[in-house]
């Protein structure tokens, strides 16, 4: 049994709750234990994963959050830079599933977050599990 950390950027409580439920279900169904830590926003997720990975306590991570397009360029910065940070860590061998939704509106987010619909939290957890298994296989 491995220990996984879900790092959530809590901004939309109801959406995050669905994403976390999907991720937790997938990880626990695979026989692993789960912890959740909350950070202020999506930009803080990669740095938090990097810090947590230095502890050696976790074998994999799931990034959770929702970024909804607004009226300013801030959406592009948050969406792009959080994804870039997560990808950089993944390229360094950290097992991360990216479940940060980047959507146009709340309706799109609900469909993607809901475990009974697109279950993007569960999909992110399954991606983290796949990378964890590859890392174990290849050492």
């Amino acid at each position: 049994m491995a220990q996984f950390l879900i790092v959530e950027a809590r901004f939309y409580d109801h959406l995050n709750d669905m994403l976390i439920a999907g991720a937790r279900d997938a990880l626990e169904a695979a026989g692993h234990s789960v912890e959740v830590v909350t950070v202020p926003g999506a930009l803080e997720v990669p740095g938090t994963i990097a810090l947590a990975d230095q502890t050696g306590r976790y074998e994999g991570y799931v990034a959770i959050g929702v970024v909804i397009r607004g009226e300013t360029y801030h959406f592009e910065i948050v969406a792009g830079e959080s994804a870039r940070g997560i990808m950089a860590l993944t390229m360094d061998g950290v097992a991360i599933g990216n479940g940060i939704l980047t959507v146009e509106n709340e309706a799109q987010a609900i469909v993607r977050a809901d475990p009974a619909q697109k279950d993007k939290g569960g999909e992110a957890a399954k991606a983290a599990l796949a990378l964890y298994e590859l890392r174990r296989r290849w050492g």
Side-chain angles (χ1 to χ4, degrees):
M1 175 171 72
Q3 178 76 20
F4 281 77
L5 180 65
I6 296 173
V7 179
E8 67 150 338
R10 181 151 293 257
F11 195 80
Y12 301 98
D13 291 343
H14 63 297
L15 299 171
N16 275 37
D17 289 344
M18 288 190 282
L19 288 165
I20 290 170
R24 184 183 294 278
D25 287 350
L27 293 168
E28 289 176 351
H32 302 295
S33 60
V34 180
E35 252 184 84
V36 178
V37 66
T38 302
V39 298
L43 291 174
E44 288 76 36
V45 170
T48 301
I49 291 172
L51 288 171
D53 200 53
Q54 291 175 12
T55 70
R57 290 179 54 192
Y58 306 101
E59 283 78 27
Y61 305 88
V62 181
I64 294 292
V66 179
V67 183
I68 298 176
R69 183 180 300 279
E71 298 176 3
T72 68
Y73 185 70
H74 187 66
F75 171 86
E76 282 83 5
I77 293 169
V78 173
E81 291 302 310
S82 63
R84 185 192 61 75
I86 290 167
M87 182 55 67
L89 291 167
T90 302
M91 295 299 290
D92 286 339
V94 182
I96 305 170
N98 188 352
I100 298 177
L101 303 181
T102 53
V103 296
E104 297 293 327
N105 54 54
E106 185 177 355
Q108 288 179 349
I110 289 169
V111 169
R112 286 159 179 76
D114 186 353
Q117 294 184 61
K118 292 202 174 188
D119 192 21
K120 294 299 183 179
E123 285 184 14
K126 290 173 184 172
L129 287 165
L131 293 174
Y132 161 72
E133 290 298 333
L134 286 173
R135 190 170 67 190
R136 281 187 50 195
R137 180 174 156 194
W138 292 330

